[in-house]
Amino acid sequence: TFVVTENCIKCKYTDCVEVCPVDCFYEGPNFLAIDPDECIDCALCEPECPAEAIYSEDELPDDQEEFLEINADMAAKWPNITEKKDPPEDAEQWDGVKGKKQYLER
Ligand code: SF4
Ligand code: F3S
């Protein structure tokens, strides 16, 4: 599966959802999640993210391991999203900021 990681938090650009052939992105208040049971590992979403927040499970950085479970849990809970929408107004300011996990709204 592919995994949305910490840098999506408060950026939520949503470019990723437009390219997913199986529509497996789910939207929370300030983060998106990929359903690991639906993802077909096509890798199309990875280069689309302006925040470079999407990784293959196999290439997940060590400090992002917990996002595997976060994606699975949140995808089961949040509504599906298939169309790009405007990012938060302050998205650019949050891009690349470390330690954003504390702001993840579930
Ligand atoms: Fe969708 Fe493909 Fe990305 Fe999986 S890897 S979330 S199937 S675009
Ligand atoms: Fe998040 Fe990147 Fe998609 S910031 S919403 S994973 S395009």
Side-chain angles (χ1 to χ4, degrees):
T1 186
F2 277 64
V3 182
V4 182
T5 62
E6 186 171 21
N7 203 36
C8 177
I9 297 168
K10 285 182 164 285
C11 287
K12 204 169 94 166
Y13 288 116
T14 69
D15 301 66
C16 52
V17 308
E18 293 266 332
V19 298
C20 182
V22 294
D23 295 344
C24 65
F25 281 91
Y26 294 80
E27 184 187 19
N30 63 8
F31 183 73
L32 293 198
I34 291 170
D35 185 332
D37 293 329
E38 294 177 336
C39 175
I40 57 170
D41 287 329
C42 72
L44 287 175
C45 56
E46 185 180 357
E48 292 302 316
C49 176
E52 297 182 2
I54 303 177
Y55 288 84
S56 160
E57 178 180 5
D58 303 332
E59 293 171 357
L60 199 56
D62 287 344
D63 65 353
Q64 301 292 306
E65 287 282 339
E66 64 190 310
F67 279 87
L68 254 182
E69 196 178 329
I70 291 171
N71 276 247
D73 289 351
M74 296 301 106
K77 191 177 145 187
W78 288 339
N80 192 240
I81 174 172
T82 58
E83 284 177 23
K84 181 174 163 59
K85 57 164 71 169
D86 290 339
E89 277 180 21
D90 56 355
E92 269 182 54
Q93 283 150 254
W94 286 102
D95 192 350
V97 174
K98 300 288 176 215
K100 285 197 280 183
K101 215 207 101 190
Q102 59 181 313
Y103 303 118
L104 175 62
E105 293 175 43
R106 300 167 187 245

